[in-house]
Amino acid sequence: MGRRKFGKKHSASGASVLKQDEGNGLKDARKPYNDIIRENDNFIKYYKVQKVCKEDEFEDFVQFLKTDLPTTFRITGSKGVVHKLLEIVEDNLIKDCINQIDSEKPPNIFPLPWYPGKLAWQMDLTRKDIRRCEAYYKLHNFLISETEHGTISRQEAVSMIPPLLLDVQSHHKVLDMCAAPGSKTAQLLELLHANGDPIPSGYVIANDVDNKRCYMLVHQAKRLNSPCVAIINHDSTVLPNLHSTQSDGSVKQVQFDRILCDVPCSGDGTLRKNPDIWLKWTAANGLNLHGVQSRILKRGAELLAIDGKLVYSTCSINPIENEAVIHRLLCESNGALELVDVSDTLPGLKFSPGMEEWLVCSRNLDVYKNFDEVDEKWRTTIRPQIVRILPHHQNTGAFFVAVLKKVKPFHTKEETNIKINDTDLDVGHVVEGSKKRNNDDNIQHKDETVWKDIKSFYSISDDFDSKCLLTRCRVGKKKNIYLTTEAVRDLVVTNQSNIKFINTGVKAFVRCDNKNMKCAFRIANDGLDSVYPFIGDNRKVYIDKDDLITLLLNDDPQHSPPIPSLSKNLQLQVENLSPGSCVLIYREEEKSKDLDPLVIYMSGWRGTTSLRCYMDRHSTMHLLRLLGGDMSKYDVNKFQKQDDESSQGEGCSEGTNTEATKN
Ligand SMILES: C[S@@+](CC[C@H](N)C(=O)[O-])C[C@H]1O[C@@H](n2cnc3c(N)ncnc32)[C@H](O)[C@@H]1O
């Protein structure tokens, strides 16, 4: 969910420009949010005449829109981690906030009733409350470090709904047509990995027309460490067909099992989060976007497999951007698409059914008085399987979701079934932009050597498909080696002449060129969950809680914990381990058969006399939090330590401690 930037053209989408002096005539919309007068007569008039909710609810609807949005977040990760984090939220975080607040009415913090497994939480606090109030500094630190680590996602409640309704399974081919900044892409990826499979056979292709915004997707994908994602940069209205190689070597057009069309919209459902929209709202915004929204949806329907599901969503309240778009496609599809009734899918979610009638108004709010004047396509009734969420239903933003199922072919373009030469990309490259791949035998040869060294040093099992390792450049020393899946690699290789791939793969190995190690690459934390099952026992070290906490508390690369300072068990394990990269494994003792134990894999380094783990600051905080270790060194109260704030920076990267390899 999201909306176009203020006053920004969206040329590629063909959508019109939102001008600064639109709306209620105020020229300078760049006011501090506090100073914005949350009123717009045209907005009120328009939605009254559209009968967007029952008459007796209208006042509530408007009042809720005028208040700030509560904060929400989702918990994600392996089952063991999720269970632990839930415990921390319920037992520590909430109590902490309540105890700290010097008020009779502490903030309400509760799990969203409709989100499965208590994994999404809402608190009646705005982002600003949390940032500015000292009592919430631990909560603020929690939100920042867990977000950066990838174990929570701060996402608006209503924006969590479309991926849930898509019902993604680990084998699904999923397309996210308008993906940036990527909160829903992240959720789709989580669902793909939900059954615990570190390398699912399905994938998510995340597309956005805006090249810069595609890099927001890169950041999201990096947080989640999935090898099953590729980011592409196209106008969805004319998204080229993608092809994949079949088992018989032929190449066939990809038909997606699941498609998300979270289209660009006027965004008036986000008024609580973006009050500047009050200043520039006009009825024209929705009208101008209807065309591009319809074209994106239609292209999505073309790319959908038979029996596949497509979710169309907007954060707009306007029926012209919502029901009218769905209605238009249903009319054109000649029975190929059906609306799916999702009204019972998320018990506990309050919503209104889709609108059955709507009006077309001009920019000046001239409503078509004589209904005969209105084109047929605007006025037919739509069945109410659609989910419409308004802010007063359950104190959220406003949102629109419709789920479509394809039951027979629709606008089929000729299916291509072409033979191509199988491109043998042993250690290939991550494609940046539309650069074409050219063969370079020398590099292939060198890469084979690199792979041989890695395979032998880590005793990597023969089941591991080294073709799925990619590098970013074809010439010179490779810095990082990325892991992708067979299916994603095939897509990159097969489509690189007509698809602009921005990024794919998760970092699996990092060059470290240390004279003490017999391999030039160390293991990266990012891809460890996927690579771990293939690593031999010779580089695995099992670590207990106390030793792990000792390692995590050490942040001085020049003085890593000396081996004799660690437990006897650990000393014995590393005694015969040659210097270099290793995997540290922590396994919590099983408390109950019903609960998955906490298991953590980390990239470690056995120095000549010391042992350490590679962890950035946020991941260190995350692990200490899970282990119940002393966090005082990192869980800084910025109100007491204002001067240190910049040095507590939020952008550390793995291996802040690159010097560690010298120990
Ligand atoms: C509502 S936002 C998507 C929010 C995103 N799904 C999320 O959950 O974070 C709409 C996105 O559509 C992109 N967009 C606009 N026109 C497009 C087009 N014709 N093709 C593809 N993407 C487009 C915009 O750049 C913007 O990032």
Side-chain angles (χ1 to χ4, degrees):
M1 208 211 59
R3 66 198 173 90
R4 295 176 304 161
K5 277 239 156 64
F6 177 74
K8 194 184 167 197
K9 276 190 181 175
H10 226 291
S11 52
S13 70
S16 75
V17 183
L18 289 177
K19 290 188 190 128
Q20 292 188 17
D21 59 351
E22 282 179 344
N24 61 6
L26 286 171
K27 290 255 184 237
D28 182 12
R30 278 171 224 214
K31 289 183 163 204
Y33 278 5
N34 278 350
D35 297 348
I36 290 175
I37 297 168
R38 299 182 188 207
E39 277 168 18
N40 183 314
D41 291 346
N42 285 343
F43 177 91
I44 305 291
K45 203 170 146 196
Y46 181 80
Y47 283 117
K48 244 189 190 153
V49 76
Q50 287 287 12
K51 295 197 173 70
V52 75
C53 62
K54 289 186 197 135
E55 228 169 281
D56 60 353
E57 287 178 25
F58 198 81
E59 190 52 37
D60 266 1
F61 161 67
V62 175
Q63 282 317 314
F64 267 87
L65 276 177
K66 290 183 176 186
T67 60
D68 287 337
L69 197 66
T71 302
T72 43
F73 64 88
R74 274 185 312 107
I75 299 176
T76 164
S78 70
K79 288 195 176 125
V81 168
V82 162
H83 168 69
K84 258 287 173 311
L85 268 184
L86 253 179
E87 258 178 27
I88 289 168
V89 169
E90 289 183 312
D91 297 349
N92 305 354
L93 215 63
I94 299 179
K95 283 185 196 143
D96 216 58
C97 287
I98 293 172
N99 292 343
Q100 292 287 323
I101 276 292
D102 191 14
S103 149
E104 306 238 309
K105 203 168 168 277
N108 193 12
I109 304 180
F110 58 93
L112 292 172
W114 47 267
Y115 200 98
K118 276 176 131 183
L119 292 186
W121 287 72
Q122 175 159 324
M123 39 197 145
D124 295 338
L125 292 168
T126 65
R127 281 178 170 230
K128 204 168 67 192
D129 294 334
I130 298 170
R131 212 174 41 238
R132 300 224 179 129
C133 177
E134 183 166 359
Y136 301 130
Y137 87 87
K138 281 195 183 209
L139 172 64
H140 190 221
N141 288 350
F142 169 86
L143 292 173
I144 289 176
S145 55
E146 296 298 331
T147 302
E148 281 298 316
H149 180 73
T151 26
I152 71 159
S153 287
R154 291 162 89 175
Q155 186 180 3
E156 228 195 286
V158 284
S159 146
M160 302 173 191
I161 296 169
L164 284 183
L165 295 182
L166 260 183
D167 181 28
V168 172
Q169 311 286 321
S170 63
H171 62 279
H172 280 158
K173 298 183 279 260
V174 185
L175 172 65
D176 190 350
M177 297 187 86
C178 305
S183 53
K184 294 186 198 73
T185 310
Q187 212 181 337
L188 293 170
L189 276 170
E190 287 161 31
L191 293 166
L192 202 73
H193 286 271
N195 69 359
D197 187 348
I199 311 192
S201 58
Y203 52 75
V204 176
I205 305 295
N207 174 66
D208 203 278
V209 71
D210 185 324
N211 184 270
K212 284 205 186 93
R213 288 171 70 86
C214 281
Y215 287 90
M216 295 174 160
L217 294 171
V218 174
H219 177 73
Q220 279 288 2
K222 192 182 167 329
R223 254 175 18 99
L224 293 176
N225 296 331
S226 171
C228 319
V229 59
I231 294 153
I232 63 172
N233 180 206
H234 284 269
D235 177 351
S236 286
T237 62
V238 287
L239 189 67
N241 290 336
L242 279 99
H243 295 88
S244 66
T245 311
Q246 309 300 295
S247 48
D248 64 359
S250 66
V251 171
K252 214 174 163 190
Q253 189 195 322
V254 176
Q255 299 276 299
F256 290 91
D257 303 300
R258 297 288 184 265
I259 296 185
L260 177 60
C261 292
D262 190 38
V263 296
C265 67
S266 60
D268 57 12
T270 68
L271 272 165
R272 302 182 70 182
K273 197 171 70 178
N274 304 299
D276 56 314
I277 297 178
W278 285 109
L279 305 177
K280 60 193 183 207
W281 188 93
T282 81
N285 299 344
L287 282 174
N288 291 335
L289 287 159
H290 174 88
V292 71
Q293 291 164 337
S294 296
R295 290 197 298 279
I296 293 174
L297 177 61
K298 185 173 169 197
R299 185 63 187 134
E302 287 171 355
L303 293 169
L304 189 64
I306 307 284
D307 286 334
K309 276 189 194 160
L310 179 152
V311 164
Y312 175 85
S313 56
T314 74
C315 49
S316 162
I317 307 167
N318 197 339
I320 302 300
E321 300 176 62
N322 295 329
E323 283 89 346
V325 174
I326 296 290
H327 175 67
R328 185 168 165 181
L329 181 75
L330 288 176
C331 290
E332 287 175 12
S333 77
N334 207 11
L337 296 160
E338 285 177 357
L339 263 175
V340 180
D341 187 349
V342 286
S343 45
D344 292 334
T345 314
L346 300 175
L349 180 71
K350 296 178 195 153
F351 61 89
S352 322
M355 290 169 64
E356 302 189 21
E357 288 177 351
W358 52 91
L359 298 169
V360 181
C361 302
S362 71
R363 183 200 164 96
N364 302 326
L365 296 193
D366 293 331
V367 180
Y368 285 94
K369 297 211 173 60
N370 178 353
F371 213 56
D372 294 339
E373 289 169 24
V374 183
D375 191 295
E376 176 78 22
K377 69 179 179 234
W378 297 108
R379 58 184 160 103
T380 324
T381 310
I382 198 158
R383 281 164 294 162
Q385 289 94 334
I386 282 166
V387 171
R388 231 176 199 282
I389 293 143
L390 296 175
H392 61 289
H393 287 150
Q394 59 232 306
N395 194 13
T396 62
F399 210 73
F400 174 90
V401 198
V403 184
L404 295 166
K405 185 176 172 189
K406 189 162 169 176
V407 290
K408 61 179 190 185
F410 166 70
H411 283 283
T412 42
K413 299 212 161 142
E414 231 170 84
E415 244 194 21
T416 26
N417 215 333
I418 38 172
K419 266 258 185 216
I420 60 157
N421 293 331
D422 185 27
T423 24
D424 199 5
L425 189 86
D426 234 28
V427 178
H429 70 305
V430 175
V431 188
E432 287 271 14
S434 57
K435 280 177 211 160
K436 295 232 171 80
R437 204 172 64 82
N438 49 14
N439 277 322
D440 182 330
D441 291 335
N442 267 336
I443 301 303
Q444 290 288 29
H445 177 70
K446 264 193 222 151
D447 289 338
E448 274 161 26
T449 320
V450 163
W451 172 238
K452 232 173 101 189
D453 285 353
I454 294 176
K455 185 169 165 34
S456 129
F457 187 77
Y458 297 102
S459 301
I460 294 198
S461 117
D462 291 338
D463 297 339
F464 183 80
D465 185 358
S466 65
K467 278 194 180 145
C468 295
L469 292 175
L470 309 171
T471 58
R472 206 169 274 278
C473 55
R474 296 191 61 79
V475 196
K477 262 188 175 181
K478 275 137 194 60
K479 207 169 148 230
N480 299 319
I481 298 179
Y482 296 82
L483 173 73
T484 188
T485 64
E486 214 181 317
V488 174
R489 173 193 171 272
D490 175 64
L491 279 181
V492 174
V493 172
T494 312
N495 298 283
Q496 57 188 305
S497 61
N498 66 327
I499 294 286
K500 229 167 124 181
F501 285 95
I502 297 292
N503 194 284
T504 185
V506 57
K507 203 193 289 175
F509 298 100
V510 181
R511 179 176 286 280
C512 69
D513 283 332
N514 182 286
K515 63 178 179 353
N516 292 321
M517 181 161 90
K518 294 189 187 81
C519 170
F521 287 83
R522 71 167 175 87
I523 294 169
N525 273 313
D526 309 27
L528 189 49
D529 281 351
S530 306
V531 175
Y532 175 80
F534 304 97
I535 293 182
D537 288 342
N538 65 324
R539 300 304 304 175
K540 288 180 182 166
V541 176
Y542 294 86
I543 185 163
D544 70 18
K545 194 194 260 190
D546 290 344
D547 284 330
L548 180 51
I549 291 178
T550 306
L551 262 51
L552 289 169
L553 288 175
N554 177 280
D555 59 354
D556 179 356
Q558 305 301 330
H559 300 96
S560 300
I563 290 171
S565 71
L566 301 167
S567 71
K568 279 277 168 293
N569 178 1
L570 192 54
Q571 290 183 38
L572 276 175
Q573 285 188 70
V574 297
E575 201 172 46
N576 296 319
L577 183 71
S578 62
S581 177
C582 58
V583 186
L584 302 175
I585 302 139
Y586 168 76
R587 246 181 238 284
E588 190 184 44
E589 269 172 45
E590 254 177 77
K591 283 188 197 139
S592 129
K593 284 224 160 57
D594 304 332
L595 295 176
D596 290 271
L598 176 66
V599 183
I600 303 167
Y601 306 120
M602 288 150 292
S603 168
W605 183 267
R606 199 270 196 229
T608 44
T609 58
S610 64
L611 185 72
R612 66 173 299 106
C613 62
Y614 288 88
M615 274 300 145
D616 65 35
R617 177 190 175 79
H618 296 300
S619 300
T620 301
M621 284 177 77
H622 162 77
L623 292 178
L624 286 172
R625 194 173 276 127
L626 293 188
L627 298 169
D630 175 12
M631 291 187 61
S632 52
K633 188 167 174 182
Y634 302 102
D635 209 2
V636 175
N637 179 347
K638 68 171 180 182
F639 296 90
Q640 278 172 10
K641 284 195 120 194
Q642 287 288 1
D643 297 344
D644 289 353
E645 209 175 22
S646 54
S647 63
Q648 310 297 341
E650 295 176 8
C652 310
S653 58
E654 181 190 320
T656 34
N657 180 3
T658 44
E659 293 299 306
T661 55
K662 289 182 183 157
N663 283 321

